[in-house]
Amino acid sequence: MEMTAWEVAHPGPMRTGPLRLVERPVPEPGPGELLIRVSVCAVCRTDLHVTEGDLPPHRAHVVPGHEIVGEVVGLGPDTHGFELGDRAGVAWLRHTCGECAYCERGAENLCPNSRYTGWDADGGYAQYAVAPADYAYHLPENYPDEEVAPLLCAGIIGYRALRLSSLPPGGVLGVYGFGGSAHLTAQLAIALGARVHVMTRSKAAQELALSLGAASATGAGERPPERLDSAILFAPVGDLVPVALAALDRGGTLAVAGIHLSDIPPLRYEQHLFYERTLRSVTANTRDDGREFLSLAARHRLRVHTIGYALSQADRALTDLAEDRVDGVAVLHA
């Protein structure tokens, strides 16, 4: 049986046509794996980094995509936790060793032997995908497929970034960049009692931020109207790191949420780091992060702003993302 899939033929800028539409055999689930008929797969900036080569290739001709929603149509040997016909979600993290010091202390996101969907193994830009059942998610019932898919990376990594930003109860949060992850994280922070200021260059994104409850929305390099207790940098732009640090109040924390960031310019200690300001990165997520976030998302119904594309338009969707024409989250329909 054959399926349609996109593979990264030769990593490079989207204008060079790095993706190729191919026919492949439907994969067979191995021990502990699910075979999923893909309904939708959201498009993440990490897919763009894999496709354009910002992230070094881990698998030749890999199928991108790690925000997969679909129906379980096959079970490998010794697979538990799902039944045929279940709706399942597949996210970025797909394997950890379970034995290293990081795994043993609950920091499996730092496991040196971790593997990732759409980078180390084929992902969801296809009609079918396989995934380890232990790393798949049962999904909240109050979201349709198109709206729940972005929660699986944009939502989960945003939630981890929010936690690592050390936002105090009722605090003030600055959000730099306002794409797929940011628009979900901002809503969750507001639902949990924060006041949120958004800094982004896109006028459409500024309007979306205000419509979702942000207290203000201004240009990416502008100062927010008040000092920030915490900030999250979603835009992969290193030049914004000193801008965000300078906007923090004493004791504030800036969390950098992206897997890839352009170079950070020199920092001035007194202006950017003194008064116990903290700069920290965010690396992937744990499965507990995913479960906690999906539980919160079920209780606090988030507005998920999506733009639909057919699976056959995956190259166009990534090009639109690369050229900042996507406000919200692009979602491929298989």
Side-chain angles (χ1 to χ4, degrees):
M1 185 176 170
E2 296 284 304
M3 69 172 187
T4 299
W6 287 90
E7 65 181 25
V8 181
H10 47 83
M14 289 306 299
R15 66 177 180 276
T16 67
L19 286 180
R20 177 170 60 200
L21 189 62
V22 297
E23 293 293 315
R24 289 187 175 189
V26 171
E28 292 285 336
E33 290 186 333
L34 310 172
L35 174 63
I36 295 170
R37 182 189 295 122
V38 177
S39 167
V40 299
C41 183
V43 176
C44 178
R45 190 164 290 275
T46 302
D47 301 335
L48 185 62
H49 295 319
V50 169
T51 302
E52 295 197 315
D54 296 324
L55 296 177
H58 279 193
R59 178 185 177 94
H61 304 299
V62 71
V63 176
H66 57 274
E67 297 174 283
I68 305 166
V69 177
E71 178 187 356
V72 177
V73 294
L75 300 170
D78 301 318
T79 299
H80 307 285
F82 287 86
E83 302 291 339
L84 293 177
D86 284 353
R87 186 169 74 150
V90 181
W92 177 236
L93 184 69
R94 71 180 290 117
H95 170 82
T96 52
C97 72
E99 299 175 351
C100 68
Y102 305 103
C103 287
E104 288 184 348
R105 72 177 192 227
E108 66 179 4
N109 60 305
L110 301 179
C111 175
N113 300 303
S114 57
R115 293 198 291 271
Y116 301 95
T117 308
W119 192 20
D120 296 289
D122 290 333
Y125 287 22
Q127 292 174 308
Y128 292 86
V130 294
D134 287 347
Y135 290 80
Y137 293 95
H138 292 280
L139 302 172
E141 296 179 358
N142 55 337
Y143 290 83
D145 290 357
E146 180 170 313
E147 294 186 19
V148 79
L151 303 187
L152 290 164
C153 181
I156 292 172
I157 199 66
Y159 172 66
R160 183 169 184 84
L162 181 62
R163 287 205 305 108
L164 295 186
S165 74
S166 302
L167 180 67
V172 181
L173 175 69
V175 172
Y176 289 82
F178 204 71
S181 188
H183 95 284
L184 298 173
T185 307
Q187 288 181 74
L188 183 59
I190 291 166
L192 296 176
R195 190 162 58 258
V196 173
H197 299 288
V198 172
M199 280 62 69
T200 180
R201 65 184 181 181
S202 166
K203 292 295 184 183
Q206 291 174 22
E207 292 172 5
L208 176 61
L210 293 173
S211 75
L212 294 175
S216 73
T218 59
E222 296 183 34
R223 269 194 176 272
E226 60 184 321
R227 284 285 184 181
L228 306 174
D229 297 307
S230 304
I232 305 174
L233 176 58
F234 288 101
V237 181
D239 287 345
L240 291 176
V241 169
V243 173
L245 285 171
L248 289 175
D249 202 351
R250 300 180 182 209
T253 296
L254 169 63
V256 180
I259 193 172
H260 172 78
L261 188 71
S262 61
D263 289 345
I264 300 171
L267 301 177
R268 296 181 61 190
Y269 179 68
E270 184 175 353
Q271 182 180 1
H272 300 123
L273 294 171
F274 196 53
Y275 295 121
E276 300 189 352
R277 298 184 183 99
T278 299
L279 170 63
R280 67 185 309 172
S281 65
V282 179
T283 301
N285 63 273
T286 67
R287 284 171 285 176
D288 283 345
D289 290 329
R291 297 181 190 112
E292 289 170 11
F293 170 70
L294 290 172
S295 177
L296 283 168
R299 295 202 303 271
H300 303 282
R301 181 60 165 85
L302 305 178
R303 288 172 55 192
V304 188
H305 186 70
T306 63
I307 301 172
Y309 294 78
L311 177 61
S312 61
Q313 298 174 305
D315 54 348
R316 179 183 149 198
L318 275 182
T319 299
D320 287 348
L321 182 62
E323 297 181 2
D324 290 329
R325 292 195 295 262
V326 177
D327 294 311
V329 185
V331 177
L332 304 179
H333 292 259

